[in-house]
Amino acid sequence: MAAASPTVFLLMVNGQVESAQFPEYDDLYCKYCFVYGQDWAPTAGLEEGISQITSKSQDVRQALVWNFPIDVTFKSTNPYGWPQIVLSVYGPDVFGNDVVRGYGAVHVPFSPGRHKRTIPMFVPESTSKLQKFTSWFTGRRPEYTDPKVVAQGEGREVTRVRSQGFVTLLFNVVTKDMRKLGYDTGPADTQSVSGPSPPQSIPQ
Amino acid sequence: MLFVPSRQTVPTYKKLPENVQPRFLEDEGLYIGERLEMAHSHQNIMENRLLTQEPGRRWFGDDGRILAMPNPIKPFPSRPPVLTQEQSIKAELETLYKKAVKYVHSSQHMIGSGDPPGNFQLDIDISGLIFTHHPCFSREHVLAAKLAQLYDQYLARHQRNKAKFLTDKLQALRNAVHTGLNQEKPHQSLDAIKKTIKEYKSEIRQTRKLRDAEQEKDRTLLKTIIKVWKEMKSLREFQRFTNTPLKLVLRKEKVDQKADEDAYEAEIQAEISELLEEHAEEYEWMMEEYRMSYQQWKARKKAQRAKKKKRKPTAEERSDEETEEPCPEEELVKPTPPEPADRAVIEQQVRERAAHSRRRPGEPTLVPELSLAGSLTPNDQCPRVEVLRREDVKRRSVYLKVLFNNKEVSRTVSRQLGADFRVHFGQIFNLQIFNWPESLTLQVYETVGHGSPTLLAEVFLPIPETTIVTGRAPVEEVEFSSNQHVTLDHEGVGSGVPFTFEADGSNQLILMTSGKVSHSVAWAIGENGIPLIPPLSQQNIGFRSALKRADAISSIGTSGLTDMKKLAKWAAESKLDPNDPNNAPLMQLISVATSGESYVPDFFRLEQLQQEFNFVSDEELNRSKRFRLLHLRNQEVPEFRNYKQIPVYDREIMEKVFQDYEKRLQDRNVIETKEHIDTHRAIVAKYLQQVRESVINRFLVAKHHFLLADLVVEEEVPNISSEGSGILGLSLFKLAEQKRPLRPRRKGRKKVTAQNLSDGDIKLLVNIIRAYDIPVRKPTASKFQQPSRSSRTFSEKHAAPLSTNSPTHSADYPLGQVLVRPFVEVSFQRTICHTTTAEGPNPSWNEELELPFRAPNGDYSTASLQSVKDDVFINIFDEVLYDVLEDDRERGSGIHTRIERHWLGCVKIPFSTIYFQARIDGTFKIDIPPVLLGYSKERNMILERGFDSVRSLSEGSYITLFITIEPQLVPGQSVREKMNDMLKKFDSQEDEKLLQATEKFQAECALKFPNRQCLTTVIDISGKTVFITRYLKPLNPPQELLDVYPNNPQATAELVARYVSLIPFLPDSVSFAGICDLWSTSDQFLDLLAGDEEEHAVLLCNYFLSLGKKVWLVMGNAIPEGSTAYVLTWEQTHYLIWNPCSGHFYGQFDTFCPLKSVGCLIGPDNIWLNIQQYDSPLRINFDVTKPKLWKPFFSRSLPYPGLSSVQPEELIYQHTDKAAAAELQDRIEKILKEKIMDWRPRHLTRWNRYCTSTLRHFLPLLERSQGEDVEDDHRAELLKQLGDYRFSGFPLHMPYSEVKPLIDAVYSTGVHNIDVPNVEFALAVYIHPYPKNVLSVWIYVASLIRNR
């Protein structure tokens, strides 16, 4: 019966936080969590995670590789509030204090398949030069009250941020029952015959 | 060991093979790139290294230098070109409006979604291609093409033969005129005949002109053909070779000379006569006109002459006359009939024209015939350029691509271009289509040799009508032309390049590549003869009709709607078909607009394209339950705010989801009495609800307003002057601090924001430390009782056996022994924890209890936490052991005791207080019922009075507690403050200067004493900022209260305080969750019958003012409320501190006074800020006249402006309806009895009616005496009446607001927990009505166990 008329659709995301480019920093770790709307509920997997500390690769790329797996499944009734992954990267500063090195967020890709996303990361700025100095000195840099803030638009107008680096994510997305519920998110070029947009006329 | 290459320059010979001179390629004229700039030393090092490591010299070039790539750096920066011209930028940035295409699944783009694919077929037959011009054309070809074109034209004309048709028509018309003139038709009026003849004649004239033009064209065409042919012939002769097989033959057709001449002459004569007639008509008409003008002239002349007589003739006038001279002369000439002369002239004209445009009579008709019979000159006889051209032509091939809906579907084979520039394909493409054909295009590609194909031109083919099916479609030719420019180095003339036939280069021609594709497109016919045509209904009719209304708007822009002229212009320009029914409304609008003076629509369409985006109608959308649910949730309607997983389908949404919401909407104005019992309170509750809603709506926007602090956690600016934790030096010092110091200091816990919490994360920690002066059991009661009643009283019964067993239960234990075994039970959110049992009236537990906290609906947001209404009940019980052993003989073998717990008192702390305070630490007065049967404090007091005289001053029992929340939550304080900030921006009726002064005052206060509360302005219930002293004004207490003790001001004051405390307490933070603190005036407060500390304090203060006391409002911190308002009075010799919510008063030096710090004092005309070192009331001086201790707000520099009060002139008190109170009393009693029975589901609950009535009589006494000094009498009476019962019970006293708190209070006493089989209960309720519906509720609840 459930197969006949689904009442929810499922979104399965797995993948990994592959690597990062933070030209000036080393020994970073990252946290991720998902932000999603009220109509969404995680059904399996981990909603948040914290990675190991990685050091820069010794080659020219200077990549910080985590290869930290993500695996979560959501169910939902409404695409509104589509999950976003929120990343926050931390690492030691000159004095060895753990400080935040970047926040970033991106929507989980809509269409099924393998997707690579590179998100720019940023940190909030101090409100004054003096505070910038003291925060550098004390190792208590400005942080978001909640990393999930970066996934929302509300209230962001009061903040000033500076860009930091990039994090590359890999997603493998599988959806279930979305088309049955009337949401077509498949890529346009892989439409099958049953899709609403058929192939072009066939010359003979 | 280490090889260090030398920096010396390496001599060139070392780098080259032996005996080879360096060779400089650049000098030899060869290009070598510019080498990269390098430091010489580097180069030398490298060279040395290479020479040493690799003996081979392959690293060095011929010039003896290291091989190097040319400098890769570009000489100019490769930035994207900066657009300098503004226009071009605009062009780049110009946004284009693209129509939204309505996507309706499978009905427009796809044809017959249900049908199997490939049902429709379009056959495209491409037979060939002819170039009318091609770059490889030689001059001869150009002429040949021209000739061919002319010949085609000739053939077409000949086929139509318009001249002949017109001649015939002319003849017919003439006949008609002739017969019309001659015949006699009596039934037709002469006028009608004349009219028709006139029409005929004009038509004849028209036709004749047309015929002449046609004939002339025919003749010129023929002449041109001949001319071109001659040119061609001369060209062939000139170049001495022939390129084209064209050959023109003029065939002469002989005509009958005589007949021809006759016809010719007759024609001319007819024409002449007609012309004459015309001329005559014209003449007459002119004559008429002439006469008219002549008359006018005459009249003018006369006038002139009259003038002339007056004046001298001047040159001007002479010239005037000269100009007018022709008129009279004309008049003279005209009347003479010029007919004969005219005839000759006309005849000559006619003949001339005929000679020019017509074949001369007898002249043979020339019929040109173009044939391809001519022979081409073979290649070997041609000059070199021509041979090159011919070879070039051979190398070229052409193919066509077929594009369907802009997608390539097939292409023809590539065919070589023939010498005659014709390509024959003869291919038929069958397109099986899914999509409705929108466009069909052929692309002509040309390939030269093995080069890549170039697109010559695109040919757009029309989509065939549905009636055209294969076999019936005619072969059509579509012309194309390309704009490419080609110049060739041989005989070919090129394309888009000027060339000429003349030797002197004049008369230049520019020809573009052009040609014709012959094709036919048709719908195929299926096997069973059915044409494979998509059904007509599916053509994009829906498409167009949906968009057609927007069409006009989009093409002329929105402004065009108001500008009707523009619209009309657009309609004219776009050649709207006025007969198209689709355009009818538009045409009508235009006609109305253009005919009427000015039609300006009285509406303005803001989103004129909205309709296009509506996928369902509004009604349908509103009917959707899902949409409604989403909408309500988005609006943050409380019922739906946290609604999760809104179902996908409407059918899954239950109707009942909306029921509560709809009910609330309905009930907004209907008063619900069921829940509140008493109507007045119901009205008040409703009113409160409405105020709350309006306030919430007001701050909905403010709630979404964020401050930086809400988003970003940032260390505060280090402030050297303040003693906060942010001192730079201190934090510097912290760096050097040890990680694990030997003597650790207490550090503040890290605060947790509420967002990422879930159930079970938050715990409430309650530390029960100790208690003082717990009432002890009263052993005397039984002894006093004993003689009067049976010998088997409960105390005596247990006294004997238990004395051996447990000393605690002996009634006559010696002094100093344990008199009570108290334990503490903490209940919160129906979770109950209790401590172990301690002993004695001053027990010490020192225990930590952990209670889980669950937020409502699992919502841990700040706003939600702030609105938690739950209370923490801390109940103190006495654990009493009873021996239930029936038989004394078993005493030795088993212990059978029953544990009973007797409620002694409770402390109630609201969760919101804990939440805002973060921790509660202090000693609280235990709320002990006024009558506690079987317990007393007197003896204890006597015991301790000897050594503790200070404590004896205070009455009652105390408990020391420490309560906190783990982890520490960030209270919504910032939100509240922010809201207050927001509110300040709302309108205020205060003077601007005053507001500025308040801000300054508060800022100073915050700087110097950040922990002291200083209030200058508050927000009233309508959201306006009001200066605080406006709230204080003498207001009359109810007269009833004043009449009770007319001669005792202290007793009156206490009674008034009691009256105030009877008004229920409702914190603002609960009613206006997380929004703000609102102050209501005293009359509003009395109307609402609910308020928090401020309202109580203000009312009490106002009453005291009217009683003539010296009184201030104290803003400070107290336990457990936190920041609160108290009342301070000056009583001749000492200060008294009043708690307005409980009605209790304390001396200034009372250690158990809950007020712990004083921030400021507020009087009716000033505010004093506490600037003393200490803020504890014990240590400060309340003399506000000393400016060193109290900083006044209004001083000499800013005198008190005499602010009017916001309070009413007088409070009017209505008497409470006694009958209603009695009814309420009965109802509450009934409800409570039912509840107690509900709480004892496994036991029978019996009610002792006799006891109940006794209690009922006793309660009014208690109210009268305010619970004092009645205990002994009461006990005596009870014992007298219920001697054979073991009785435990107590009266509870509360202000009345709702039933639920009463139920909770009864529940928390645990009276119902007795499970002795023969227990009986008694419950009595008494409500004492005070004016203005203030009700004092007494509940006496007791359990009785019959002694046997």
Side-chain angles (χ1 to χ4, degrees), chain B residues 1027-1071:
Chain B
F1027 196 71
I1028 199 164
T1029 60
R1030 289 180 188 264
Y1031 277 92
L1032 297 182
K1033 184 202 169 197
L1035 284 174
N1036 55 314
Q1039 195 54 42
E1040 255 180 79
L1041 303 179
L1042 300 177
D1043 292 345
V1044 179
Y1045 306 105
N1047 301 319
N1048 187 350
Q1050 180 59 29
T1052 309
E1054 280 176 38
L1055 193 62
V1056 165
R1058 179 177 160 76
Y1059 175 71
V1060 171
S1061 70
L1062 283 175
I1063 301 170
F1065 176 83
L1066 182 73
D1068 280 352
S1069 60
V1070 173
S1071 50

Side-chain angles (χ1 to χ4, degrees), chain B residues 32 186 189 258 364 441 581 739 794 838 957 967 997 1016 1160 1166 1283 1330:
Chain B
I32 57 162
S189 67
K258 185 85 175 58
T441 317
K739 287 278 178 203
F794 67 93
S957 313
T1016 51
C1160 65
N1166 210 342
Y1330 282 96

